[in-house]
Amino acid sequence: MTIDLKGRIALVTGASRGIGYFTALELAKAGAHVIACARTVGGLEELDDAIKATGGSATLVPFDLSDMDAIDRLGASIFERWGKLDILVANAGILGVIAPIAHVEAKVFERVMTTNITSMWRLVRSLEPLLVKSDAGRAILLSSGVATNPRAFWGAYAMSKAAVETMGRIWAEEMAHTALKINMVNPGATRTAMRAQAMPGEDPETLPHPSEVAARILPLASPETTDSGRLFVVRENRFVDYRLPE
């Protein structure tokens, strides 16, 4: 299916590498102007070159998501320049450490929560007024399989992603009367630096490349997507529903 995003404005966090990088590239290939956010300037510049090579366009915004005031300024800047936002891909996240819950240092736990959930809430707070100005606003929140199937030693990361999914479901209910559709994504194990950090003994060649994951995520940004408040499982290439505990 060909996705046409010409004339649409898309913001991607964590766009300097991995899933964020390739999702930004896919959005640009489909015609969207991409606002690419990340801490790493070099990675953003490489993305910009790749986007230009496909005939696309991007605006680079290097900053750390722990800077909450910068997130608010970003929303104001987007309003001043474009007056709306069509697509949000909230991809940025950190692993923290694989360790027993009681052994995680406070500063590590707080950094994971700040980056993975507090900053995402701040993005929602800053960008919702812009997304509802779109005729087909789409928000895509990156989660993980450990959000709903928690594993020992993945505590801080799993808790942060469970919070992301809960926030996304609440936000979708709140926006049910608008054109804005909000969905969460479980990308599955992917050949990224974060996965290598978590599973250093794993052969990365056995995992899907982030470009494959990005290609599956792209349709969620389309105006044709009508699902909202659901979880998209990349490995199965389908939406699944949330259920109450049994």
Side-chain angles (χ1 to χ4, degrees):
M1 180 176 65
T2 301
I3 307 297
D4 184 4
L5 300 178
K6 290 183 180 66
R8 301 203 167 266
I9 310 299
L11 186 149
V12 181
T13 65
S16 63
R17 63 181 183 178
I19 294 171
Y21 177 101
F22 287 100
T23 301
L25 187 56
E26 287 290 331
L27 289 165
K29 286 179 181 178
H33 177 81
V34 176
I35 304 167
C37 305
R39 291 177 298 170
T40 310
V41 175
L44 288 177
E45 291 175 344
E46 289 178 17
L47 172 64
D48 190 41
D49 290 342
I51 286 175
K52 286 178 178 175
T54 68
S57 63
T59 298
L60 308 184
V61 186
F63 78 104
D64 193 316
L65 279 171
S66 65
D67 186 344
M68 302 298 159
D69 290 338
I71 293 175
D72 291 345
R73 291 195 297 271
L74 176 62
S77 296
I78 294 170
F79 177 75
E80 289 172 8
R81 183 166 177 182
W82 293 287
K84 66 161 186 171
L85 181 66
D86 299 291
I87 301 158
L88 166 65
V89 181
N91 162 79
I94 60 173
L95 177 66
V97 63
I98 300 296
I101 290 172
H103 295 186
V104 178
E105 293 181 69
K107 65 181 180 182
V108 172
F109 185 87
E110 289 165 5
R111 184 162 174 259
V112 170
M113 292 299 164
T114 297
T115 303
N116 294 4
I117 182 62
T118 306
S119 70
M120 199 175 288
W121 159 74
R122 194 76 172 224
L123 282 167
V124 170
R125 181 174 176 267
S126 180
L127 302 179
E128 180 190 285
L130 299 167
L131 287 163
V132 296
K133 286 182 177 295
S134 171
D135 63 337
R138 300 290 179 264
I140 301 163
L141 313 183
L142 269 288
S143 185
S144 167
V146 295
T148 47
N149 296 289
R151 297 172 61 182
F153 312 121
W154 288 68
Y157 182 74
M159 282 184 267
S160 71
K161 292 303 185 179
V164 165
E165 293 196 11
T166 297
M167 181 181 70
R169 294 168 68 189
I170 292 168
W171 190 24
E173 284 199 21
E174 292 173 351
M175 294 293 104
H177 65 290
T178 73
L180 176 57
K181 307 298 180 187
I182 299 128
N183 290 295
M184 286 56 69
V185 172
N186 172 11
T190 308
R191 200 185 314 166
T192 63
M194 182 187 291
R195 180 68 183 187
Q197 179 189 352
M199 308 288 285
E202 187 175 52
D203 180 1
E205 295 302 318
T206 63
L207 302 176
H209 191 271
S211 61
E212 299 173 58
V213 174
R216 293 281 180 90
I217 291 174
L218 179 65
L220 276 63
S222 168
E224 307 304 316
T225 293
T226 57
D227 293 273
S228 191
R230 303 183 76 194
L231 177 66
F232 184 80
V233 181
V234 169
R235 287 292 183 92
E236 300 176 16
N237 197 30
R238 68 185 181 99
F239 282 104
V240 296
D241 292 315
Y242 288 98
R243 295 203 261 309
L244 291 172
E246 297 176 353

